[in-house]
Amino acid sequence: MSKIHAAITAVNGYVPDYVLTNAELETMVDTSDEWITSRTGIKERRILKGEGLGTSDMAVHAVNGLLKKRGIDAKEIELIIFCTTTPDFTFPATANVLADKIGAINAWGYDLQAACSGFLFGLVTGASFVESGRHKKVLVVGGDKMSSIINYEDRTTCIIFGDGCGCALLEPNEEGLGVQDSILRTDGAGRNFLGMKGGGSVQPATHESIDAKLHYAHQEGPTVFKFAVTNMADVAAEIMERNNLTPNDVAWLVPHQANKRIIDATANRMGVTLDKVMINIERYGNTTNGTIPLCLWEWESRLKKGDNIVLAAFGGGFTWGSIYLKWAYDSN
Ligand code: UT7
């Protein structure tokens, strides 16, 4: 019997309407459009406004669109892996909330936390359930309402992050298409440089923790930048090498959108020209778990069956990784 591969068979995305521009940020903190653009490549990002709305509400839009596109009912979904750093609640899992909101009554699910590498970790985990034969329809969602943990008085973080959500459906493929290889890594020593100190079991919310602003994302930018450039480029190059892929063989690089300079360095290290790199950081900023599926969604119509695609990410805590997949369908 031939090996079952897990292939992406549909993608979709959603970004909220509100556009937070560099010009508006200039009125909030001491920054400039020139600084933000030259240091990060970001021009604007989306913000989810509205009382009582969380990450799952963006996912509802993304997933309902995906189901419609693929022509399947929510009841057919067997597993939901919700990759997020900003879950609706500490518990229950956002996957549960989403399943309820979309009517995925036959699915089980859980949240996966790997910061900006979450979607890659989720894709590999979801693929394993398909490859093993256990499930035939696995939904991997990546999304964050980063605005819920950003201090809009801190110019070093508030200019980078935005809100958004993307998703992909994994199904079995017997033509050898889909996920081919992956490299996933973690290094918990990185928790000191990018993370959130408050709100967990170590430091539950107290008046003091709120006053100390511990419930906001904390990042030591230059240190994270150094690790991100090296590690994201290394795993992307390593996955090419061990699969004998030359730059010509790679149709697309789909990098996590944290900083345009990190994307450039990764592409450069792989020898891939920028016309083959999915980049939308200028419009959405860093949506954490959302960046990679949002790229796949926006580029979907240009992807061809059999295209070799390399995904690469680096995130808080630290986490990083790369996936090599063969795209499984023509969308037109
Ligand atoms: O997605 C998860 C992984 N995260 C990342 O990969 C992010 C990695 N880090 C970065 O992308 C960059 O480090 C940042 C974009 C966060 C910062 O860029 P940088 O080039 O590393 O700047 P820096 O922090 O070294 O700051 C340079 C200068 C400093 O001023 P002095 O000390 O040289 O006078 C900062 O105070 O720029 C200043 N600065 C700003 N100026 C205007 C910092 N933030 C701002 C700002 N506007 N928003």
Side-chain angles (χ1 to χ4, degrees):
M1 207 179 86
S2 64
K3 176 180 179 326
I4 302 171
H5 280 82
I8 293 177
T9 57
V11 287
N12 206 42
Y14 173 82
V15 289
D17 294 334
Y18 190 85
V19 179
L20 175 59
T21 62
N22 288 353
E24 186 176 351
L25 281 168
E26 284 176 354
T27 69
M28 298 159 65
V29 289
D30 180 15
T31 191
S32 67
D33 174 47
E34 201 283 315
W35 192 96
I36 302 171
T37 307
S38 62
R39 296 293 182 119
T40 70
I42 303 168
K43 295 299 266 183
E44 57 190 43
R45 62 295 285 146
R46 301 299 181 99
I47 303 294
L48 181 65
K49 300 265 187 186
E51 203 59 31
L53 296 180
T55 302
S56 73
D57 295 291
M58 295 188 287
V60 168
H61 289 285
V63 172
N64 280 337
L66 178 144
L67 296 173
K68 198 167 164 213
K69 239 190 221 183
R70 179 71 186 83
I72 59 170
D73 193 275
K75 295 187 188 69
E76 295 177 52
I77 302 295
E78 294 163 54
L79 168 63
I80 298 174
I81 301 176
F82 204 125
C83 314
T84 185
T85 301
T86 51
D88 281 14
F89 311 106
T90 300
F91 76 94
T94 316
N96 291 27
V97 178
L98 176 66
D100 179 51
K101 288 182 176 174
I102 63 170
I105 55 172
N106 296 312
W108 66 288
Y110 54 90
D111 289 2
L112 188 152
Q113 160 64 289
C116 297
S117 310
F119 190 75
L120 297 193
F121 284 35
L123 216 48
V124 170
T125 312
S128 305
F129 284 100
V130 174
E131 289 157 358
S132 70
R134 183 163 185 132
H135 290 310
K136 290 193 164 52
K137 284 188 171 50
V138 176
L139 187 62
V140 182
V141 182
D144 276 294
K145 182 185 170 187
M146 290 305 290
S147 60
S148 65
I149 56 166
I150 293 300
N151 176 2
Y152 286 94
E153 293 176 348
D154 174 7
R155 68 176 183 173
T156 68
T157 51
C158 74
I159 54 127
I160 301 170
F161 293 99
D163 302 339
C165 183
C167 53
L169 185 69
L170 288 169
E171 295 186 81
N173 183 290
E174 294 192 5
E175 295 178 88
L177 302 170
V179 176
Q180 306 291 308
D181 193 15
S182 63
I183 303 169
L184 303 179
R185 302 257 189 271
T186 61
D187 179 0
R191 69 187 178 280
N192 298 319
F193 307 113
L194 179 50
M196 195 167 89
K197 293 187 164 48
S201 54
V202 171
Q203 177 58 73
T206 60
H207 289 291
E208 290 74 23
S209 73
I210 289 167
D211 290 344
K213 301 188 192 314
L214 299 183
H215 300 272
Y216 291 127
H218 163 81
Q219 172 169 262
E220 292 180 24
T223 308
V224 177
F225 185 91
K226 210 172 62 193
F227 277 98
V229 163
T230 313
N231 289 322
M232 198 163 126
D234 277 357
V235 280
E238 187 184 341
I239 210 158
M240 280 178 70
E241 202 176 300
R242 77 182 194 190
N243 289 281
N244 300 313
L245 294 172
T246 68
N248 279 342
D249 297 325
V250 176
W252 293 101
L253 164 65
V254 194
H256 171 53
Q257 315 277 308
N259 187 316
K260 174 69 165 48
R261 291 183 288 144
I262 299 173
I263 296 173
D264 291 346
T266 304
N268 190 37
R269 176 75 189 282
M270 293 167 70
V272 170
T273 49
L274 285 180
D275 56 317
K276 296 206 270 186
V277 184
M278 297 187 193
I279 302 171
N280 57 15
I281 190 171
E282 71 282 1
R283 284 176 291 124
Y284 302 143
N286 182 350
T287 55
T288 303
N289 286 270
T291 59
I292 287 177
L294 285 174
C295 280
L296 291 172
W297 165 54
E298 292 202 324
W299 267 261
E300 184 189 23
S301 63
R302 295 165 68 181
L303 304 180
K304 303 263 172 306
K305 187 171 173 179
D307 275 355
N308 289 316
I309 300 186
V310 174
L311 317 179
F314 183 87
F318 291 135
T319 59
W320 66 102
S322 181
I323 296 178
Y324 161 40
L325 56 85
K326 282 185 179 291
W327 197 249
Y329 62 98
D330 295 315
S331 49
N332 297 319

